[in-house]
């Protein structure tokens, strides 16, 4: 039997943060089955984990529609599950992924992920982008995702984008960000209609874009970031050269076994 866990990430309580499913496997089945499991979970991302040894694991991420090459919150969820249920004595885990080897280190209540920082290229702010977002950003940058920069946190919080128009834009996801308030350095939201998800509650890999941007603007390397989705979440971030360290807490929602009757 394969175990399936649902974990709320970048939060210390359930019903907030970003939920991810984590499936611990003894081997890799066909990709078609992994996609069916992710679709059945009906969450934005499912992490699949196969052990190489007690400190190193193969890790893959699936949305309900496709496999992706990097997912922060599902990586945090996988580290939380392994630390709590499978190898509590290991404080630093290595994950072998399509984005290279990723490490997650436990630092008291935080799980700190070591991710690659994206290099951003400035783009023109177009009318097409403005119509899609519903408000004109001050700047727009691109790497894997689009990063749209606003002047005030309230602009980010109040955006009501046209998701059909967002589908026509370049980039995998659309990150929107502004300077933070109330003790937070920056605030953001993540729109992901190309992934079958209108809004990602908390996006770890998005901050691999957002943190390099603000670090360059403010000449600082440590940030407390707030994701302003309806569920909300907090990320503790550090820029270290070409890497971004993303720290967050996690809370367990459920544990179950996959039975999959009638599977041939």
């Amino acid at each position: 039997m394969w175990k399936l866990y649902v974990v709320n990430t970048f939060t210390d309580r359930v019903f907030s943060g970003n939920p991810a499913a984590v499936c611990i496997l003894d081997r890799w089945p066909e990709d078609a089955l992994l996609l069916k499991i992710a679709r059945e979970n009906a969450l934005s991302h499912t992490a699949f984990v196969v052990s190489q040894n007690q400190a190193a694991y193969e890790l893959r991420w699936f949305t309900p529609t496709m496999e992706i090459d990097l997912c922060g919150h599902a990586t945090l969820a996988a580290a939380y599950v392994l630390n709590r249920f499978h190898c509590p004595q290991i404080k630093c885990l290595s994950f072998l992924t399509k984005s290279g080897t990723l490490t997650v280190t436990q630092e008291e209540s935080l799980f700190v992920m070591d991710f690659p920082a994206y290099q951003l290229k400035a783009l023109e702010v177009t009318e097409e982008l403005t119509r899609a977002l519903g408000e004109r950003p001050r700047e727009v940058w691109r790497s894997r995702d689009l990063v749209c920069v606003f002047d005030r946190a309230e602009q980010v919080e109040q955006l009501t984008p046209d998701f059909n128009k967002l589908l026509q834009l370049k980039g995998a996801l659309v990150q929107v960000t502004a300077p933070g308030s109330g003790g937070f350095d920056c605030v953001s939201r993540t729109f992901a209609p190309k992934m079958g998800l209108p809004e990602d509650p908390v996006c770890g890999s998005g901050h691999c874009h957002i943190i390099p941007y603000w670090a360059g603007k403010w000449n600082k390397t440590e940030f407390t970031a707030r994701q302003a989705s309806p569920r909300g979440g907090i990320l503790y971030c550090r820029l270290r050269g070409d890497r971004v360290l993303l720290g967050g807490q996690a809370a367990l929602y459920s544990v179950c076994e996959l039975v999959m009757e009638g599977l041939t």
Side-chain angles (χ1 to χ4, degrees):
M1 291 288 185
W2 293 336
K3 283 286 186 70
L4 183 76
Y5 307 80
V6 176
V7 179
N8 294 155
T9 62
F10 298 114
T11 181
D12 61 355
R13 64 200 66 190
V14 295
F15 307 119
S16 62
N18 200 351
V22 179
C23 189
I24 306 297
L25 308 172
D26 57 355
R27 57 179 174 79
W28 287 113
E30 296 293 326
D31 287 4
L33 179 57
L34 300 179
L35 185 58
K36 287 178 181 178
I37 293 170
R39 187 176 298 128
E40 192 74 9
N41 289 337
L43 292 171
S44 65
H45 295 84
T46 297
F48 295 95
V49 180
V50 172
S51 174
Q52 285 203 332
N53 56 59
Q54 278 208 325
Y57 295 83
E58 294 181 70
L59 173 64
R60 297 170 69 185
W61 309 277
F62 282 75
T63 75
T65 59
M66 69 182 75
E67 183 175 12
I68 61 170
D69 62 357
L70 186 64
C71 179
H73 80 283
T75 302
L76 191 158
Y80 172 88
V81 166
L82 291 170
N83 178 265
R84 178 165 176 175
F85 295 100
H86 296 270
C87 52
Q89 74 281 9
I90 304 296
K91 301 304 180 183
C92 184
L93 297 167
S94 292
F95 292 107
L96 309 179
T97 79
K98 289 191 172 184
S99 290
T101 299
L102 307 176
T103 61
V104 183
T105 304
Q106 188 178 3
E107 298 180 4
E108 297 181 348
S109 65
L110 295 180
F111 291 87
V112 180
M113 302 176 289
D114 185 338
F115 274 20
Y118 285 99
Q119 300 298 311
L120 300 174
K121 177 182 178 181
L123 300 180
E124 178 188 358
V125 178
T126 64
E127 289 304 316
E128 178 188 24
L129 174 63
T130 301
R131 287 192 295 269
L133 291 174
E135 186 162 348
R136 187 177 185 85
R138 172 165 49 85
E139 301 174 26
V140 59
W141 299 74
R142 185 187 175 192
S143 185
R144 183 198 71 176
D145 302 343
L146 286 181
V147 179
C148 304
V149 183
F150 290 87
D151 292 316
R152 303 187 315 279
E154 293 80 5
Q155 292 174 285
V156 168
E157 294 164 355
Q158 295 169 8
L159 283 178
T160 55
D162 185 319
F163 294 108
N164 288 326
K165 289 185 171 65
L166 289 183
L167 286 171
Q168 309 307 314
L169 301 179
K170 296 179 180 179
L173 291 78
V174 179
Q175 312 290 341
V176 295
T177 186
S181 59
F184 296 101
D185 295 295
C186 58
V187 64
S188 66
R189 290 171 69 190
T190 301
F191 305 118
K194 291 180 182 178
M195 304 297 177
L197 182 69
E199 182 165 0
D200 192 351
V202 191
C203 186
S205 64
H207 283 77
C208 296
H209 299 70
I210 292 166
I211 295 306
Y213 171 81
W214 289 118
K217 289 292 182 181
W218 293 337
N219 194 30
K220 62 181 289 184
T221 58
E222 297 196 9
F223 300 82
T224 301
R226 179 173 70 92
Q227 191 104 24
S229 68
R231 292 177 64 97
I234 300 174
L235 305 92
Y236 302 91
C237 309
R238 286 170 274 169
L239 184 67
R240 293 292 183 268
D242 62 354
R243 310 292 293 182
V244 179
L245 304 184
L246 303 169
Q249 295 175 289
L252 183 68
Y253 175 70
S254 66
V255 183
C256 70
E257 292 182 342
L258 297 184
V259 178
M260 297 186 290
E261 290 184 345
L263 182 68
T264 57

